[in-house]
Amino acid sequence: MRLRHIRGAEEAIAESPYVIQEPETYRGRFAELFGNGNPLHIEVGMGKGRFLMELAKENPEINYIGIERYSSVLLRALQKREDMELSNIYFMRVDAKELADIFALGEVERIYLNFSDPWPKDRHAKRRLTSPEFMRVYDRILLQNGTVEFKTDNQELFDWSLASIPEAGWRIDAYTRDLHHSEMAAGNVMTEYEMKFSAMGNPICKLVASR
Ligand code: SAM
């Protein structure tokens, strides 16, 4: 994701009705925010938010929260959000490290990780969103039968995740190294990065993990 400081981004986010301000104050009470007790699905590292907004449109009976740590990127999602009539999706500008302070134990039913930054250097492995450190965070906020769904075109990150997720005590329920030509393609919604990389001919990898 190309990052540029965009003037006014912080102000637009602070004033947006689509952004949850001070999200930790909703811990354990996100159902009140949505006005219903529907399942809650989140995307960590949402980027411009195409994927989650499409899902929200397709599944009005599910509540969605998109998490993005950079204001300049979140602003792009907000611009798109304004053109959509949706009542089941909000955004947060937070770092994924904070998720266990924001969501209560078991408050989330599904976590999507899409085209997460690969952090190729070994010394940065802890920053990968599929690292044991982050899987521990997800373990706290995810329902007992909840799932983590991860897509990437990065073969190294995918191989590493296939090994490190079970080491963190999780089970790989299903995976493919060519999502668009596999049984797992049913109902697939493409992200911005997925459209870009699959147009370049890169196969898309996907795994689903649970405990
Ligand atoms: N998911 C989108 C897609 O597939 O098109 C965007 C992918 S982009 C490569 C990764 C995004 O994750 C970036 O927007 C980045 O700012 C965000 N991100 C990375 N680490 C994060 C973290 N620790 N907390 C929140 N967002 C994060």
Side-chain angles (χ1 to χ4, degrees):
M1 187 67 58
R2 202 161 136 244
L3 290 177
R4 265 180 305 148
H5 178 72
I6 298 180
R7 196 196 305 231
E10 300 288 346
E11 292 78 358
I13 288 167
E15 287 165 11
S16 173
Y18 308 126
V19 178
I20 304 172
Q21 316 289 343
E22 299 185 33
E24 56 290 337
T25 61
Y26 288 95
R27 194 167 188 271
R29 303 192 298 116
F30 282 97
E32 287 176 36
L33 176 75
F34 285 96
N36 61 56
N38 290 345
L40 178 57
H41 294 187
I42 68 174
E43 183 182 2
V44 182
M46 159 193 73
K48 297 178 192 168
R50 173 190 197 273
F51 170 82
L52 217 57
M53 284 185 255
E54 286 299 316
L55 284 186
K57 201 162 62 180
E58 284 179 14
N59 304 293
E61 72 296 346
I62 294 173
N63 295 331
Y64 293 93
I65 295 179
I67 288 142
E68 171 54 52
R69 71 173 159 181
Y70 289 119
S71 303
S72 55
V73 183
L74 179 54
L75 186 67
R76 296 290 178 233
L78 290 181
Q79 289 162 344
K80 198 175 310 176
R81 173 72 180 82
E82 277 160 21
D83 299 331
M84 301 184 87
E85 292 276 331
L86 296 170
S87 57
N88 59 335
I89 182 166
Y90 287 96
F91 304 129
M92 289 177 185
R93 196 196 59 73
V94 296
D95 192 299
K97 284 190 289 204
E98 298 165 37
L99 291 181
D101 298 325
I102 291 172
F103 296 103
L105 285 180
E107 198 167 17
V108 175
E109 187 188 66
R110 186 174 299 168
I111 299 174
Y112 292 108
L113 308 171
N114 290 320
F115 297 81
S116 309
D117 299 326
W119 295 107
K121 293 189 177 134
D122 285 347
R123 69 172 191 278
H124 291 149
K126 284 185 180 172
R127 299 183 191 179
R128 298 173 192 151
L129 290 181
T130 50
S131 69
E133 287 75 10
F134 277 107
M135 296 309 290
R136 265 196 291 281
V137 173
Y138 310 147
D139 185 37
R140 291 181 61 84
I141 67 172
L142 204 59
L143 268 175
Q144 201 44 49
N145 60 354
T147 52
V148 172
E149 300 200 1
F150 171 51
K151 292 196 280 189
T152 183
D153 70 321
N154 186 303
Q155 298 290 334
E156 291 78 21
L157 178 63
F158 193 69
D159 287 343
W160 185 83
S161 303
L162 277 177
S164 68
I165 290 174
E167 279 165 22
W170 292 63
R171 196 172 56 217
I172 305 287
D173 295 326
Y175 76 93
T176 172
R177 292 179 186 280
D178 191 1
L179 174 62
H180 296 175
H181 301 102
S182 85
E183 285 173 8
M184 289 173 77
N188 183 50
V189 172
M190 297 232 261
T191 78
E192 271 99 358
Y193 271 64
E194 185 170 357
M195 297 203 300
K196 183 167 111 182
F197 291 126
S198 57
M200 289 162 61
N202 296 3
I204 306 302
C205 306
K206 176 173 179 175
L207 68 80
V208 178
S210 64
R211 307 83 115 206

